[in-house]
Amino acid sequence: MPHARTRALAAAGMAAVAIVAVSACAPVPAPTPDYVTDFGKGGGAPSASAENGPKGPEWRASAKDPLAWQDCTSRLAARYGTPPAANATLECATLTVGVGQTDAPLQLSVTRARVPGTPGSAAPLVLAGGTEFTGQRALATLAAGDSPVLANRPVVAVERRGIGTSGALTCRTAPDQSLLRSGGTAGPNLQARVAEVSGAARRAATSCGDAYPDAISGFTAAAAADDLEKLRTTWDVPALGLLAVGDGSTAALAYAAKHPKQVARLVLDSPVRYGGTELQRAEDAARGTSATVDAFAAQCGPTCALGADPAGAVRGIIADAAAGRLGTFTDSDLRRAVVLTLGIGPGDRDVRITRLATALQGARSGDAAPLRALLRSADETLGTDGQFVARCSDAVTKASPDQILASAQRWGSEYRLGAAAALDLGACSAWPTMPAPPNLTDLGVRSVVATSAADPLTARTALDTLTGQLTVVGAQPSAITWAGMGDGAVIRSSCVQKSLIGYLDKLDAPSTRACPA
């Protein structure tokens, strides 16, 4: 692209540090994950108090919050299908930030959730959403369930630039949007599909660069970190407590790298690799999608719409979609339906499983309407131009067409919907090189990482380097595992939230290390 600028990439991540953590939630302890690190060293049980550890900067509420909050509970509940529980209230406001070389003003969307009894004096936890599970959607999902965190303190979500009401972008043509979403024309010729996707990616990169020539570099995770700092200075507080969901972890860690003395708490929920290549992140997602599809098939109960053998039915549906035998639906369409419904969609596990099973069975039996409806929702939820720009701007060391083809061929046999995950890599293959996120530096606060057993957007392999990076900079990561399905263990599990209260209040170690589904 004529406007692209090449910058040096950051050094590779450090090796992970692995120390055992003990489950305290199930009656029979599960095998200990090998990536968990305890507060401190040596792998022993953490102390009940943070007295001897780093205390972090002061964390307090703003003395006079200047944001003009307005109730938006009903509007967001309708938008996301998340009626709030426990009389939770959602309030919306805007924060003005500068974008591009001209520092053009953009109204950034911020959303606050509280419940009756939430202490007014408690420092708010700032939720950094991602490019897929966005901040406002994640907060609405949090408020729709039993939330010990909201009873403890307000949570304020910051939406990424270019997404939703934070200045939505419009730059791709409808045909290119459709090609990138469907992963090209289904069929056995993967090379032809990669070529289709690569062509659409080149055209999309050019059209978006031409539409926003002065601002295209202003939609990175590092820019999102600048927005977090703008919120801190607007509130005039010493530091922020951060909860990052999904690839929002990149923005939160970029903030920690830029402002290590302004991070009072750091909770990474379903994080992705920090500074990892697109190939690494895509394979993490392929593993996560595969685990989610297997969990879905195993948990689709005796009345499952897919019949007596859900696992066999799912295998057949995926094979038909990849070969072009499922009407107009491709395997990439199926993957989007899985991500939308099981990854970030509303409702408890059984509701989401039933919704997807009904749609898949309809497609198999000739009734395309339910799956088509899911994909229309996926287009609005996952496939906007702002999400495309943000995701591609965060992509470090993009994959070439040859790498995408080789990955599609290999992952197709290793992972459920693996070829579709590889084809998704092609969307960013022509995007200009953006600066890598800043290197982490010494942090004065401990961190917590929460993960799900079945998450179609990432996998626990994402922690291979992340726990090592956090340990080296003094963040002493501790892990909580959730046996459930979906992106956002903290967002969806009251058990996980309850285990965090001591950490949020006093930097104590989480009270529980494993939570049931």
Side-chain angles (χ1 to χ4, degrees):
M1 292 178 62
H3 57 278
R5 294 180 294 176
T6 303
R7 293 179 172 88
L9 298 173
M14 303 173 185
V17 175
I19 304 176
V20 172
V22 179
S23 168
C25 194
V28 178
T32 302
D34 61 4
Y35 59 82
V36 174
T37 60
D38 280 320
F39 289 171
K41 299 180 180 180
S47 66
S49 170
E51 181 180 351
N52 298 321
K55 294 180 173 55
E58 180 188 6
W59 188 29
R60 58 174 171 79
S62 175
K64 186 177 181 181
D65 186 350
L67 298 180
W69 297 102
Q70 294 185 332
D71 190 289
C72 55
T73 307
S74 299
R75 175 166 58 87
L76 297 189
R79 178 175 182 176
Y80 299 119
T82 52
N87 296 317
T89 299
L90 297 172
E91 299 165 294
C92 295
T94 58
L95 178 71
T96 303
V97 299
V99 178
Q101 300 174 7
T102 61
D103 213 30
L106 182 146
Q107 298 298 308
L108 200 70
S109 173
V110 290
T111 312
R112 180 172 65 188
R114 297 184 291 184
V115 297
T118 300
S121 60
L125 186 63
V126 175
L127 194 162
T131 60
E132 291 163 311
F133 203 6
T134 62
Q136 193 175 75
R137 176 179 289 274
L139 185 60
T141 304
L142 175 75
D146 176 32
S147 179
V149 164
L150 288 182
N152 178 256
R153 63 190 61 249
V155 179
V156 174
V158 181
E159 202 79 310
R160 283 282 295 259
R161 300 177 183 184
I163 294 176
T165 52
S166 288
L169 305 182
T170 304
C171 55
R172 295 179 297 174
T173 66
D176 286 338
Q177 284 180 331
S178 179
L179 263 175
L180 293 175
R181 289 166 178 166
S182 64
T185 304
N189 191 339
L190 283 172
Q191 188 168 10
R193 294 185 71 180
V194 170
E196 275 190 290
V197 170
S198 297
R202 286 193 298 272
R203 293 189 296 272
T206 299
S207 61
C208 290
D210 290 345
Y212 304 101
D214 296 326
I216 201 67
S217 62
F219 294 92
T220 62
D226 292 340
D227 296 340
L228 294 175
E229 176 63 3
K230 180 60 181 290
L231 179 63
R232 185 191 70 80
T233 57
T234 298
W235 278 344
D236 190 22
V237 293
L240 298 177
L242 298 176
L243 164 63
V245 182
D247 63 345
S249 61
T250 304
L253 289 170
Y255 182 81
K258 288 184 170 188
H259 306 282
K261 304 305 182 186
Q262 276 71 54
V263 179
R265 303 291 186 275
L266 181 60
V267 181
L268 305 176
D269 189 9
S270 302
V272 300
R273 293 174 189 259
Y274 186 65
T277 68
E278 270 296 271
L279 272 171
Q280 290 172 323
R281 286 193 178 190
E283 187 163 12
D284 290 336
R287 287 191 180 99
T289 300
S290 188
T292 303
V293 170
D294 286 344
F296 159 75
Q299 296 170 27
C300 202
T303 60
C304 179
L306 292 170
D309 181 16
V314 169
R315 288 194 298 271
I317 292 168
I318 291 174
D320 286 346
R325 299 190 299 264
L326 198 67
T328 60
F329 299 120
T330 69
D331 50 347
S332 293
D333 290 332
L334 297 187
R335 183 170 181 271
R336 286 193 298 138
V338 168
V339 170
L340 172 73
T341 311
L342 304 181
I344 65 176
D348 62 23
R349 180 193 64 183
D350 292 342
V351 166
R352 288 180 285 138
I353 286 175
T354 298
R355 186 180 300 136
L356 181 61
T358 301
L360 294 182
Q361 176 59 22
R364 182 169 70 154
S365 61
D367 179 9
L371 183 53
R372 185 63 61 202
L374 279 186
L375 292 177
R376 282 196 298 269
S377 181
D379 293 346
E380 300 168 356
T381 304
L382 298 164
T384 69
D385 289 352
Q387 288 167 300
F388 166 75
V389 169
R391 178 199 154 189
C392 292
S393 295
D394 290 349
V396 177
T397 316
K398 299 169 183 67
S400 68
D402 287 344
Q403 290 174 314
I404 295 168
L405 177 59
S407 298
Q409 292 168 335
R410 179 167 63 86
W411 298 351
S413 60
E414 289 185 17
Y415 310 119
R416 311 284 186 213
L417 297 171
L423 289 167
D424 193 46
L425 273 169
C428 298
S429 58
W431 197 253
T433 301
M434 297 291 176
N439 292 328
L440 294 174
T441 187
D442 287 348
L443 290 173
V445 65
R446 293 166 164 142
S447 61
V448 175
V449 178
T451 56
S452 307
D455 181 347
L457 291 174
T458 189
R460 291 175 181 175
T461 47
L463 302 181
D464 288 348
T465 57
L466 182 54
T467 52
Q469 289 172 306
L470 291 171
T471 300
V472 167
V473 298
Q476 299 181 24
S478 181
I480 307 171
T481 61
W482 175 52
M485 179 189 299
D487 196 55
V490 175
I491 296 300
R492 296 188 183 275
S493 170
S494 61
C495 171
V496 173
Q497 290 185 42
K498 189 178 297 183
S499 72
L500 286 174
I501 299 303
Y503 169 78
L504 297 175
D505 286 345
K506 299 180 294 182
L507 280 172
D508 285 352
S511 59
T512 295
R513 296 305 183 89
C515 286

